[in-house]
Amino acid sequence: MPVRPTVIRRSPTAACAVTLALMTGACGGGGQEGTREAAPAASAAVAVSPEAAPSHGEAVAAELEKLALAQGDVKGHTVEKVDTWHEVTVESVAVDKAACEAFGDAIAGAAVGRPAATAQRMVEAELTKALTDEELLELPDDQIGQAMVSAISGTYTVVTIASYDGKGAEEALSTLRSAAKACVGGGFTMTSGVLRGGTHWHVEDVKEVAVPGKRDGLAWEVMTQSEPGAMENPFKAVVIRTGRLLAVFSSRNNFAGDQSDFAAPTAVIDAQLAKLPIT
């Protein structure tokens, strides 16, 4: 998916350590705006030499890359950095109801609102061993579908971590909460990869579920169809805030027909959150 120009804001205290800013917001900064237009870049030195120094936004982006998942962080999963062509951004997601824009972004795996910088990964579960008919019959009824699906298709999760200025992470989560409430009944269409032709998802049903680990955030099970009457395609979406960071997780499995066919990516969520600063 096409990349969104990184939103870079001028830091009022350029000498403040980037990691401290990610954790506590001690450097200050402005709030987030609701528009989907990219803001113009502004340079702000974080080192003595203005010629060699990265901008504040670039420094934060570099720090996020260190915090993002890497291969080997999640057992039984492959982790890849998302290239700019396939990156999920608010510019690559279109929603036909304005009130549902933030919610559609989260379902697709894009950062919500206007972060200062982001890092994104694609995480895919490795296939499990196919069970024999006898082994399947020994499983509880609600686990049979999941066992069959995981043997032929790995669940994949778009993981996006985003850093915000000031109280931007709190405000983005609040905006998302309002959007989800307005759109909980479904009935809207979102398109991902809009500049590459786009994949359409008709959101038919939305169910809010518990956030893994009782963290500060939101989680949903979302049922979609590529077109009315077509096969249903379930998504699981989780957004968690820690300090000035939001972590967005969007999961689906190409062979899943309902939510019981694949599990929430708790191993992926736990591994990513373990790398983020705790506030």
Side-chain angles (χ1 to χ4, degrees), residues 75-92:
K75 184 178 180 180
H77 293 70
T78 58
V79 179
E80 295 183 356
K81 181 176 179 178
V82 180
D83 60 49
T84 55
W85 181 241
H86 294 93
E87 187 175 5
V88 184
T89 69
V90 295
E91 284 76 30
S92 68

Side-chain angles (χ1 to χ4, degrees), residues 8-10 40-44 55-57:
I8 303 174
R9 299 184 184 277
R10 184 175 301 275
S43 62
S55 70
H56 172 64

